[in-house]
Amino acid sequence: LFGFGFPLGRSTEASSFLLLSRPWTQRTCATALSMSTASISTELPKIYTLLQIEEAIRRSETFATDLIDLVEQGFVAFSTSKFNAAPIQTMGAPPLAPYYANVPGYAAQTCVKSGYLTSSEHFVIKVASGGYPIKNNTGNLQVYSQTTGRLEALLLDEGILTEHRTAAAGAVTARYLAPKTIGVVGMIG
């Protein structure tokens, strides 16, 4: 064990690394490891696959209306400065270099978006990729504890939750701006 660093734990003080500069005895290593794991949760985050997410949506009789209401609440939180969003990171699109050079019609990108409600339990990071030559939209949502900073859930949704959220945002708009009687609906985009 020469010259290797290992994290002492997950707390702020433990984010520093201990450099092993000499061989340690088993007793010394055991003591160091017991100290390093004392504050670490061994529980893995919950992982939800696309199939599990789609099944949960199908089983819910109120998913669509609940989502529309939640998106509306999100708009209200944003407009009253209770929702906090970090600047969006975009990769693979200008001003950065494309993922692939010399691809006619290139339009691929990956966006990383994150945010949280003040005084809420969690914050979320969303990673979404799409555009040519990426065959399908894809992505995931990472749910972290605001208290511990620990990853608590990973939703491998392949972008379907973003698609539902986008539809719900349109429904919120229609709820307030659409005429009472609608004969024809057109969608663009």
Side-chain angles (χ1 to χ4, degrees), residues 12 17 23 29 50 53-54 73-75 79 91 111 115-116 126 129 138 149 152 160 162 177-178 186:
T12 305
F17 286 82
C29 284
L50 175 60
I53 294 166
E54 288 177 327
Q73 291 170 24
F75 287 147
S79 67
M91 300 177 286
C111 294
Y116 62 94
K126 178 179 90 168
S129 296
T138 186
E152 293 190 352
I160 193 154
T162 294
L177 301 178

Short mmCIF file of all heavy atoms in Angstrom, two decimals, residues 12 17 23 29 50 53-54 73-75 79 91 111 115-116 126 129 138 149 152 160 162 177-178 186:
data_model
loop_
_atom_site.label_atom_id
_atom_site.label_comp_id
_atom_site.label_asym_id
_atom_site.label_seq_id
_atom_site.Cartn_x
_atom_site.Cartn_y
_atom_site.Cartn_z
N THR A 12 -17.90 16.37 5.50
CA THR A 12 -17.07 17.42 4.96
C THR A 12 -15.62 17.23 5.38
O THR A 12 -14.72 17.34 4.56
CB THR A 12 -17.57 18.80 5.47
OG1 THR A 12 -18.94 18.91 5.14
CG2 THR A 12 -16.78 19.92 4.87
N PHE A 17 -8.18 13.18 1.62
CA PHE A 17 -7.66 11.83 1.39
C PHE A 17 -6.43 11.59 2.24
O PHE A 17 -5.62 12.47 2.47
CB PHE A 17 -7.31 11.66 -0.09
CG PHE A 17 -8.50 11.51 -0.96
CD1 PHE A 17 -9.19 12.62 -1.39
CD2 PHE A 17 -8.96 10.27 -1.33
CE1 PHE A 17 -10.30 12.49 -2.18
CE2 PHE A 17 -10.07 10.11 -2.11
CZ PHE A 17 -10.74 11.23 -2.54
N PRO A 23 4.06 0.96 4.37
CA PRO A 23 3.20 -0.19 4.61
C PRO A 23 2.59 -0.11 6.01
O PRO A 23 3.23 0.31 6.95
CB PRO A 23 4.14 -1.38 4.48
CG PRO A 23 5.48 -0.85 4.18
CD PRO A 23 5.44 0.63 4.17
N CYS A 29 -4.41 -0.82 9.59
CA CYS A 29 -5.38 -0.75 8.49
C CYS A 29 -6.79 -0.99 9.00
O CYS A 29 -7.73 -0.31 8.58
CB CYS A 29 -5.04 -1.76 7.40
SG CYS A 29 -3.65 -1.26 6.38
N LEU A 50 -36.54 1.65 -16.54
CA LEU A 50 -37.60 2.17 -17.41
C LEU A 50 -38.85 1.30 -17.32
O LEU A 50 -39.96 1.83 -17.22
CB LEU A 50 -37.11 2.24 -18.86
CG LEU A 50 -38.13 2.65 -19.90
CD1 LEU A 50 -38.69 4.03 -19.62
CD2 LEU A 50 -37.53 2.58 -21.29
N ILE A 53 -40.69 2.06 -14.12
CA ILE A 53 -41.31 3.39 -14.17
C ILE A 53 -42.56 3.35 -15.04
O ILE A 53 -43.62 3.86 -14.66
CB ILE A 53 -40.29 4.44 -14.68
CG1 ILE A 53 -39.16 4.61 -13.65
CG2 ILE A 53 -40.98 5.77 -14.98
CD1 ILE A 53 -37.95 5.35 -14.17
N GLU A 54 -42.45 2.73 -16.20
CA GLU A 54 -43.62 2.62 -17.09
C GLU A 54 -44.75 1.83 -16.43
O GLU A 54 -45.92 2.20 -16.55
CB GLU A 54 -43.22 1.97 -18.41
CG GLU A 54 -42.37 2.87 -19.28
CD GLU A 54 -41.91 2.20 -20.56
OE1 GLU A 54 -41.67 0.97 -20.55
OE2 GLU A 54 -41.79 2.91 -21.57
N GLN A 73 -47.70 23.39 -9.51
CA GLN A 73 -47.08 23.79 -8.24
C GLN A 73 -45.62 24.17 -8.45
O GLN A 73 -45.11 25.10 -7.81
CB GLN A 73 -47.19 22.66 -7.22
CG GLN A 73 -48.60 22.40 -6.74
CD GLN A 73 -48.69 21.12 -5.92
OE1 GLN A 73 -47.72 20.66 -5.34
NE2 GLN A 73 -49.89 20.52 -5.88
N GLY A 74 -44.94 23.48 -9.36
CA GLY A 74 -43.55 23.81 -9.68
C GLY A 74 -43.43 25.19 -10.30
O GLY A 74 -42.51 25.96 -9.97
N PHE A 75 -44.36 25.54 -11.20
CA PHE A 75 -44.35 26.88 -11.78
C PHE A 75 -44.56 27.95 -10.72
O PHE A 75 -43.90 28.99 -10.72
CB PHE A 75 -45.43 27.01 -12.86
CG PHE A 75 -45.11 26.28 -14.15
CD1 PHE A 75 -46.14 25.73 -14.89
CD2 PHE A 75 -43.82 26.16 -14.62
CE1 PHE A 75 -45.88 25.07 -16.08
CE2 PHE A 75 -43.55 25.50 -15.80
CZ PHE A 75 -44.58 24.95 -16.54
N SER A 79 -41.93 30.85 -9.67
CA SER A 79 -42.27 32.27 -9.74
C SER A 79 -42.20 32.97 -8.39
O SER A 79 -42.12 34.20 -8.33
CB SER A 79 -43.67 32.46 -10.36
OG SER A 79 -44.66 31.95 -9.50
N MET A 91 -23.48 19.73 -23.26
CA MET A 91 -22.28 19.15 -23.87
C MET A 91 -22.63 18.63 -25.25
O MET A 91 -23.75 18.22 -25.51
CB MET A 91 -21.76 18.00 -23.00
CG MET A 91 -21.39 18.44 -21.59
SD MET A 91 -20.86 17.07 -20.55
CE MET A 91 -22.42 16.27 -20.23
N CYS A 111 -27.74 17.43 -21.90
CA CYS A 111 -27.99 18.53 -20.97
C CYS A 111 -28.04 17.98 -19.55
O CYS A 111 -28.62 16.92 -19.31
CB CYS A 111 -29.32 19.22 -21.28
SG CYS A 111 -29.31 20.06 -22.86
N GLY A 115 -31.89 21.06 -9.67
CA GLY A 115 -32.65 22.02 -8.91
C GLY A 115 -33.23 21.42 -7.65
O GLY A 115 -33.16 20.21 -7.42
N TYR A 116 -33.79 22.31 -6.83
CA TYR A 116 -34.40 21.88 -5.57
C TYR A 116 -35.35 22.94 -5.07
O TYR A 116 -35.26 24.11 -5.44
CB TYR A 116 -33.33 21.61 -4.52
CG TYR A 116 -32.50 22.82 -4.16
CD1 TYR A 116 -32.83 23.63 -3.08
CD2 TYR A 116 -31.39 23.16 -4.92
CE1 TYR A 116 -32.08 24.75 -2.76
CE2 TYR A 116 -30.62 24.28 -4.60
CZ TYR A 116 -30.98 25.07 -3.53
OH TYR A 116 -30.22 26.18 -3.23
N LYS A 126 -30.86 15.95 -13.41
CA LYS A 126 -31.37 15.23 -14.59
C LYS A 126 -30.32 15.29 -15.68
O LYS A 126 -29.75 16.35 -15.95
CB LYS A 126 -32.66 15.87 -15.09
CG LYS A 126 -33.20 15.20 -16.35
CD LYS A 126 -34.49 15.84 -16.82
CE LYS A 126 -34.19 16.96 -17.79
NZ LYS A 126 -35.38 17.44 -18.50
N SER A 129 -29.99 13.16 -22.99
CA SER A 129 -29.26 13.20 -24.25
C SER A 129 -30.21 12.93 -25.40
O SER A 129 -31.18 12.19 -25.26
CB SER A 129 -28.15 12.14 -24.27
OG SER A 129 -27.20 12.40 -23.28
N THR A 138 -32.53 9.84 -24.38
CA THR A 138 -32.19 8.99 -23.25
C THR A 138 -31.92 9.89 -22.05
O THR A 138 -31.76 11.09 -22.18
CB THR A 138 -30.98 8.09 -23.57
OG1 THR A 138 -30.78 7.19 -22.48
CG2 THR A 138 -29.72 8.88 -23.81
N GLY A 149 -26.61 14.81 1.32
CA GLY A 149 -25.95 14.87 0.03
C GLY A 149 -25.84 13.50 -0.64
O GLY A 149 -25.26 13.35 -1.70
N GLU A 152 -30.00 8.93 -3.20
CA GLU A 152 -31.02 8.06 -2.62
C GLU A 152 -31.77 7.26 -3.67
O GLU A 152 -32.26 6.17 -3.38
CB GLU A 152 -32.00 8.87 -1.78
CG GLU A 152 -31.33 9.44 -0.55
CD GLU A 152 -32.30 10.04 0.44
OE1 GLU A 152 -33.50 10.17 0.13
OE2 GLU A 152 -31.85 10.38 1.54
N ILE A 160 -38.34 9.36 -20.52
CA ILE A 160 -39.81 9.32 -20.56
C ILE A 160 -40.43 10.28 -19.54
O ILE A 160 -41.48 10.88 -19.80
CB ILE A 160 -40.36 7.89 -20.40
CG1 ILE A 160 -41.84 7.89 -20.78
CG2 ILE A 160 -40.18 7.36 -19.00
CD1 ILE A 160 -42.36 6.59 -21.25
N THR A 162 -39.21 13.14 -18.63
CA THR A 162 -39.11 14.47 -19.23
C THR A 162 -40.23 14.67 -20.24
O THR A 162 -40.84 15.74 -20.30
CB THR A 162 -37.74 14.63 -19.91
OG1 THR A 162 -36.73 14.61 -18.91
CG2 THR A 162 -37.65 15.95 -20.68
N LEU A 177 -55.14 29.06 -20.36
CA LEU A 177 -55.20 29.92 -21.54
C LEU A 177 -56.11 29.41 -22.65
O LEU A 177 -56.42 30.15 -23.57
CB LEU A 177 -53.78 30.12 -22.10
CG LEU A 177 -52.78 30.76 -21.14
CD1 LEU A 177 -51.41 30.86 -21.79
CD2 LEU A 177 -53.26 32.13 -20.69
N ALA A 178 -56.52 28.15 -22.59
CA ALA A 178 -57.36 27.61 -23.66
C ALA A 178 -58.79 28.11 -23.55
O ALA A 178 -59.28 28.37 -22.44
CB ALA A 178 -57.35 26.08 -23.59
N GLY A 186 -54.01 21.45 -32.27
CA GLY A 186 -52.82 21.25 -33.09
C GLY A 186 -51.59 21.29 -32.19
O GLY A 186 -51.54 22.05 -31.23
#
